[in-house]
Amino acid sequence: MSSPAPPPASPSDPAFRLEGHRLIQLLAVITFAVALPLVMALSTRQWASAAILSAALGIFGQAMWYARRGRLTRAAHLMLATLTVLTSAMMFNSQGLRDEAVCAIPALLVFAAMFGSRRVFIAVLAVQFSVLTAIAAANIYGWHVNAIHPVGWESLIDLVTVLTATAFFIWLMASDLRRALLRLEVENGRIRESFERIDVLAHHDALTGLPNRLLARDRFTQALALAQRNHSKAALLFLDLDNFKDVNDSLGHAAGDELLREVARRLQVAVRSTDTVSRHGGDEFLIIMSDHGDEQSVASTAVKIMAQLGVPFKGLGMELSATCSMGISVFPQDGSDFDTLLQHADMAMYHAKDAGRNTFNFYDAEINTNVIEHLHLIAGIRAALAKQEFKLHYQPQYDLRNGRIVGAEALIRWRHPELGLIPPSKFIAVAERSGLINEIGTWVLGEACRQARAWQDAGLAGVTVAVNLSPVQFRRGDIERDVMNALAASRLAPASIELELTESLLIAEANHLGPLLGRLRGMGIRLSIDDFGTGYSNLGYLRRFEVERLKIDQSFVRRMTRDTHDEGIVRAIIEMAHSLKLEAVAEGIEDEATLARLIELGCEFGQGFHWSPALPPEEFFAFASTRQVLAAC
């Protein structure tokens, strides 16, 4: 299949203007070259030649008129046809194959190649072959014999004129070719630069200029090959900036981008020139360390990196600092390919975050086991919610002044069909990290309110049910709706429910907690602070929020009769609660001596194994009913 012909050039096309300029130049030279023999023909009274040359000049003038008006194809065809006829006539009327006009044939073919199509070029060549063949045949067979004139000045002038015109035409064509080649070379250079830029964009991060994940994978493959050849080790460091989102949210993305660029620069300073620093995405970086002898050298580099990042730097008129959590996997013990080592370094990095951040951690098999267990727990929690495997047990809460049961703390239990009883300490943290704590918390609220109402309907009055709330539930922003829905569904009075909060929640969410707790307190819901003494214990925050109770953490209560320091802490918390007109609740009361000492210190309420562990709802009802009757007697 033949390729389609190129579209005709428009008058605004530079190539069109160049072609027109060249055609006008050639017509001017041809006109001069024909005018000179015309003058000589007239001077020697060669009237036939003079007539032919005069007609040719007239036609060339018409072609010039066409060319100046942009009708280049017509001008070129007219010029080629006229030159073909002119050279043929001059050869036939003069010296035939020995005439000077033969020298013009190459120039004529050059014109045809420059300004005509392939068909025009072939046609001109065919006509010239035919004319030359006809003249030769006429001379051979005597039909027309061309006389050979003696060499004279006229012959020299004709020959020089033809050669000069031909040389000029060839020079013009060569100049155009050189310019075209130069333009082509410049364009090729631009294309090469474009490809280089594309390659850089494809393999480097636009913000920091560091290699991206694609190039990092290739570099790590090379590092593994080098380590295998030298029987050494290669390490992959997965680095994630701590609290980078806070920088973006508080200072804007411009400050975040500046911080990332500075981190990239410092990472490159901290590692060897043979190592590779790569931006993995967002605030994550990869560092590829090749040809290392042992883990100690890797750890030294990790320490150097953290020291570099720990130095504050000025950005957007203020000091910014960055800490990071880093996970490290090492070839060959942690994996033999990039994907496996990256996965293991990622696991180790999250282990470092769980350890408190601003640290690094090497991968080990136990991390992988914990991650797998973590994933199984998440899947199990979802299934437990769907299959109603979660249950609530209730630990009675006593008024230490009269021995009556006044409340119950709802504690979740999970009896797995295969793993048995799973303690809350094992799955609550997983539920919080995965976000499933929101669904669990909503279920706990609803179930606790339903059970409290059921007890009231069965005749067990005056028992307030306490429910622990996770900070994650407050961050979601639906806790008020969940509480109202649970109370409405169970037809329970708000005063029959108590919400237990943590100190860390009061500190971290202080801005929006105040109005929320005020609304809950206005509904009649009781509020308490759980595990008091283990967190911030900030008196200012206690005064700010409308809580009613402080629950003293059981770790102090259990040791208070054996450790004067712990007794002092318990005494201080009770006195502080009373000074703020709050009630004190002691958790973890396990013996009579502890109970007696708490009563002496003025603690109002308590709970613990001294009376009972957390009980299923039916057992709690029987236990509480009996104790209330005994207390009444």
Side-chain angles (χ1 to χ4, degrees):
M1 182 182 294
S2 61
S3 59
S10 65
S12 60
D13 192 343
F16 183 91
R17 294 195 297 270
L18 176 61
E19 185 178 353
H21 179 64
R22 286 287 180 262
L23 184 56
I24 292 172
Q25 283 183 320
L26 293 176
L27 284 171
V29 173
I30 291 171
T31 300
F32 175 78
V34 171
L36 190 58
L38 174 59
V39 172
M40 293 178 59
L42 291 173
S43 65
T44 57
R45 301 179 183 277
Q46 298 177 19
W47 308 116
S49 296
I52 294 173
L53 293 172
S54 297
L57 282 177
I59 296 173
F60 290 145
Q62 182 66 31
M64 180 75 77
W65 186 83
Y66 285 140
R68 291 187 181 279
R69 280 157 182 75
R71 301 166 69 177
L72 301 184
T73 301
R74 179 171 294 187
H77 289 173
L78 187 58
M79 179 190 71
L80 289 171
T82 304
L83 286 174
T84 301
V85 173
L86 179 60
T87 54
S88 300
M90 291 179 69
M91 287 187 294
F92 185 80
N93 289 330
S94 187
Q95 301 183 71
L97 298 183
R98 296 180 178 86
D99 194 80
E100 296 87 352
V102 175
C103 297
I105 293 177
L108 183 58
L109 294 175
V110 171
F111 302 155
M114 289 177 63
F115 301 105
S117 63
R118 183 168 54 184
R119 292 180 180 179
V120 172
F121 179 82
I122 294 174
V124 171
L125 183 60
V127 169
Q128 294 298 332
F129 283 159
S130 301
V131 170
L132 292 174
T133 301
I135 292 175
N139 280 272
I140 292 171
Y141 294 108
W143 303 330
H144 175 78
V145 178
N146 295 101
I148 304 302
H149 303 304
V151 176
W153 291 112
E154 297 84 359
S155 302
L156 178 61
I157 292 173
D158 290 342
L159 187 60
V160 169
T161 301
V162 171
L163 290 176
T164 301
T166 303
F168 179 71
F169 304 149
I170 294 174
W171 180 81
L172 286 180
M173 185 176 67
S175 298
D176 291 342
L177 181 60
R178 283 195 298 270
R179 277 193 290 269
L181 291 174
L182 181 60
R183 286 196 300 270
L184 182 61
E185 184 178 352
V186 172
E187 190 63 28
N188 286 339
R190 291 174 181 170
I191 292 174
R192 284 194 298 270
E193 291 177 359
S194 297
F195 277 120
E196 290 173 358
R197 287 195 296 270
I198 292 172
D199 183 70
V200 169
L201 292 175
H203 294 91
H204 290 77
D205 174 57
L207 177 64
T208 62
L210 295 176
N212 60 14
R213 283 179 286 182
L214 184 63
L215 185 55
R217 177 185 292 271
D218 181 66
R219 295 275 181 88
F220 195 71
T221 301
Q222 297 176 24
L224 290 182
L226 180 63
Q228 289 173 332
R229 186 168 59 250
N230 295 344
H231 302 289
S232 59
K233 296 186 177 183
L236 188 62
L237 284 65
F238 192 100
L239 183 152
D240 183 88
L241 299 182
D242 297 327
N243 304 315
F244 178 73
K245 184 177 181 298
D246 294 342
V247 176
N248 272 341
D249 291 345
S250 59
L251 302 180
H253 288 281
D257 290 346
E258 186 171 346
L259 177 60
L260 289 175
R261 284 190 289 266
E262 179 63 17
V263 167
R265 188 191 68 79
R266 294 190 181 190
L267 290 178
Q268 289 175 301
V269 171
V271 302
R272 303 173 305 173
S273 59
T274 54
D275 298 331
T276 297
V277 179
S278 165
R279 187 183 178 200
H280 192 63
D283 59 341
E284 297 175 340
F285 295 84
L286 289 179
I287 300 173
I288 298 169
M289 303 179 67
S290 60
D291 201 23
H292 273 272
D294 52 33
E295 284 81 355
Q296 184 59 45
S297 59
V298 179
S300 298
T301 301
V303 170
K304 187 176 180 182
I305 288 171
M306 304 195 77
Q308 280 281 344
L309 296 184
V311 179
F313 68 94
K314 291 186 177 180
L316 297 179
M318 64 184 66
E319 278 197 351
L320 298 176
S321 60
T323 62
C324 71
S325 300
M326 194 184 319
I328 305 171
S329 60
V330 180
F331 169 85
Q333 61 262 36
D334 297 333
S336 59
D337 60 86
F338 178 79
D339 291 325
T340 301
L341 288 163
L342 178 61
Q343 180 185 13
H344 290 169
D346 190 16
M347 291 180 184
M349 183 272 292
Y350 278 106
H351 194 68
K353 280 191 177 294
D354 291 340
R357 307 191 178 196
N358 193 25
T359 187
F360 64 90
N361 197 76
F362 281 88
Y363 171 82
D364 59 45
E366 184 180 352
I367 293 177
N368 193 36
T369 302
N370 292 339
V371 170
I372 293 173
E373 183 180 2
H374 178 94
L375 295 175
H376 283 312
L377 278 175
I378 291 176
I381 291 170
R382 288 194 175 96
L385 285 167
K387 298 176 182 179
Q388 299 181 343
E389 294 175 3
F390 289 116
K391 303 296 179 184
L392 289 185
H393 287 192
Y394 301 87
Q395 185 172 41
Q397 193 175 94
Y398 283 79
D399 186 331
L400 304 185
R401 294 163 294 189
N402 55 32
R404 292 180 61 87
I405 295 177
V406 294
E409 181 177 6
L411 299 170
I412 191 169
R413 297 291 185 264
W414 179 13
R415 187 166 295 280
H416 194 278
E418 299 175 359
L419 302 178
L421 188 64
I422 301 177
S425 60
K426 194 168 186 178
F427 68 85
I428 289 296
V430 174
E432 287 182 327
R433 286 197 294 269
S434 65
L436 291 171
I437 193 64
N438 293 318
E439 297 178 52
I440 294 176
T442 300
W443 176 83
V444 169
L445 270 172
E447 177 62 18
C449 290
R450 186 199 65 78
Q451 187 60 64
R453 180 65 190 185
W455 286 335
Q456 290 178 7
D457 292 341
L460 184 62
V463 175
T464 301
V465 177
V467 178
N468 291 283
L469 296 180
S470 166
V472 179
Q473 293 175 264
F474 280 88
R475 295 189 187 105
R476 187 182 63 170
D478 295 333
I479 188 66
E480 185 176 6
R481 184 190 65 187
D482 290 344
V483 171
M484 295 179 66
N485 289 343
L487 291 173
S490 61
R491 297 178 292 109
L492 184 70
S496 298
I497 197 80
E498 178 180 323
L499 302 181
E500 297 187 358
L501 316 173
T502 63
E503 290 179 86
S504 60
L505 172 65
L506 297 177
I507 299 296
E509 308 293 333
N511 290 333
H512 87 275
L513 259 190
L516 172 61
L517 296 182
R519 292 193 298 271
L520 293 174
R521 189 71 187 88
M523 293 167 56
I525 295 172
R526 300 166 66 88
L527 303 174
S528 65
I529 299 178
D530 193 22
D531 299 333
F532 190 82
T534 60
Y536 295 92
S537 303
N538 189 307
L539 185 61
Y541 282 97
L542 291 178
R543 296 174 60 186
R544 180 174 178 179
F545 298 109
E546 296 185 16
V547 297
E548 296 179 85
R549 291 180 168 187
L550 296 183
K551 297 191 73 174
I552 307 169
D553 187 71
Q554 58 186 326
S555 62
F556 304 120
V557 175
R558 286 174 177 169
R559 296 191 302 262
M560 63 178 292
T561 58
R562 302 188 303 273
D563 190 322
T564 57
H565 177 73
D566 286 327
E567 180 181 339
I569 293 175
V570 172
R571 180 192 299 109
I573 294 175
I574 294 173
E575 291 175 354
M576 181 175 62
H578 292 166
S579 68
L580 294 172
K581 295 182 172 51
L582 302 178
E583 297 172 342
V585 182
E587 297 180 296
I589 301 175
E590 297 184 350
D591 52 56
E592 187 66 35
T594 302
L595 174 60
R597 186 61 182 140
L598 286 168
I599 294 174
E600 291 176 5
L601 294 175
C603 183
E604 293 92 343
F605 302 94
Q607 63 188 74
F609 284 3
H610 174 64
W611 295 286
S612 171
L615 301 170
E618 299 79 7
E619 294 182 26
F620 178 87
F621 178 77
F623 181 88
S625 299
T626 303
R627 293 302 184 277
Q628 283 191 342
V629 170
L630 292 176
C633 295

